[in-house]
Amino acid sequence: MSKKGYWMAMIDVRDADVYKQYIEANAVAFAKYGAKFPVRAGRYENPEGPTGNRHVLVEFESFDKAVECYHSPEYQHASKFRLAASTGHFVIVEGA
C-alpha cells in the first residue's frame, strides 16, 4: 500500500478577494484528485514566530497523486490567484 501524500502550506494572505478566487478555482483540481482537508484555515497559535495567517493541510491517496494534482492544468490555473494574493511556504510531502 502506498503512503499518502500531503500538501502543507503556511500562507500570508494579502488580498482576501483574490484569494477567494483561488479557493473557488482550486475546487476543480481538488475534486479531480480526491483531495481531503484535515486542516483548512481555522484557529491557530504560532508560539515560535510568524507562520502566516492561513494554514492548510491537504491529503491525497498517494504522494504521486499529490504531485500530479499540483502540476495539473486545473491547479496551475488556480495557483495564479494564490500567487497574486499571498506569500508563504508550500511543500508536498509523503506521509509516514
Side-chain angles (χ1 to χ4, degrees):
M1 185 164 100
S2 66
K3 296 178 180 180
K4 293 187 181 209
Y6 296 89
W7 291 9
M8 296 170 28
M10 295 185 300
I11 305 296
D12 193 20
V13 177
R14 295 183 316 270
D15 186 330
D17 292 332
V18 174
Y19 200 85
K20 285 178 188 174
Q21 292 177 303
Y22 164 66
I23 292 170
E24 292 169 7
N26 70 29
V28 175
F30 290 154
K32 180 177 179 179
Y33 290 91
K36 296 178 183 174
F37 296 88
V39 177
R40 194 171 199 181
R43 293 173 28 173
Y44 66 93
E45 185 175 324
N46 48 8
E48 296 189 9
T51 62
N53 56 23
R54 185 171 177 87
H55 309 90
V56 180
L57 179 65
V58 186
E59 179 182 272
F60 295 87
E61 68 183 36
S62 69
F63 177 78
D64 291 341
K65 199 62 90 170
V67 172
E68 277 181 53
C69 182
Y70 181 81
H71 292 291
S72 71
E74 297 87 355
Y75 185 74
Q76 288 303 302
H77 167 73
S79 72
K80 293 175 186 174
F81 296 110
R82 179 177 58 83
L83 295 171
S86 66
T87 57
H89 298 283
F90 181 103
V91 64
I92 301 172
V93 298
E94 185 176 59

